[in-house]
Amino acid sequence: MPTRPMRPCKHRGCSALVPGGKTYCMQHACEEVKWKPDAVRGNRHARGYGSAWAKRRDRILLRDCGLCQVCRRTGRVSLATEVDHIVPKAQGGTDDDANLQSICHPCHATKTGGERR
Ligand SMILES: [Zn+2]
Ligand SMILES: [Zn+2]
């Protein structure tokens, strides 16, 4: 794979260099996905969880800029559509903000698939 030249992050005043093809550094990646709370409100399958969960879910997505935290750790930028329990509730995890993270569907599927084993 040819190496592309590094470019500065497009965020005003940010001097971080990002690989060619990318626009923002990980810090400002949320500006790239342009996440808005309403963007994910459409496909609510949080029904059954009640509105308290829906509110918490929105808050977590907002906190994480709507970015999948699992992808983010590996340097990828993808839009989160779900909120995941870091420690599964079945294993004593809580609904605490600290135990919740934004996650994209593929990562969530991988994670829950792995937990089942
Ligand atoms: Zn930046
Ligand atoms: Zn992901």
Side-chain angles (χ1 to χ4, degrees):
M1 211 159 70
T3 27
R4 294 158 109 178
M6 302 286 276
R7 295 151 173 261
C9 169
K10 240 182 126 183
H11 182 84
R12 189 182 284 265
C14 176
S15 57
L17 289 172
V18 294
K22 282 195 178 188
T23 324
Y24 293 97
C25 69
M26 288 316 286
Q27 193 81 35
H28 301 115
C30 48
E31 291 173 34
E32 187 174 331
V33 298
K34 292 188 180 65
W35 185 83
K36 293 205 180 62
D38 289 327
V40 285
R41 203 162 279 166
N43 63 354
R44 165 172 300 176
H45 44 123
R47 239 179 278 160
Y49 277 112
S51 63
W53 168 253
K55 267 184 217 151
R56 198 188 313 260
R57 186 175 161 278
D58 282 356
R59 192 169 73 232
I60 299 300
L61 286 166
L62 190 66
R63 180 196 70 185
D64 295 339
C65 295
L67 292 175
C68 170
Q69 298 303 295
V70 178
C71 287
R72 191 171 192 171
R73 255 175 251 133
T74 60
R76 283 178 298 163
V77 175
S78 48
L79 200 61
T81 51
E82 291 156 35
V83 168
D84 173 53
H85 288 89
I86 298 168
V87 178
K89 288 187 95 169
Q91 289 171 29
T94 63
D95 276 342
D96 225 56
D97 283 16
N99 190 44
L100 296 168
Q101 65 180 350
S102 303
I103 197 164
C104 67
H105 185 71
C107 285
H108 205 185
T110 309
K111 192 166 182 265
T112 47
E115 276 160 14
R116 216 168 286 146
R117 241 171 281 148

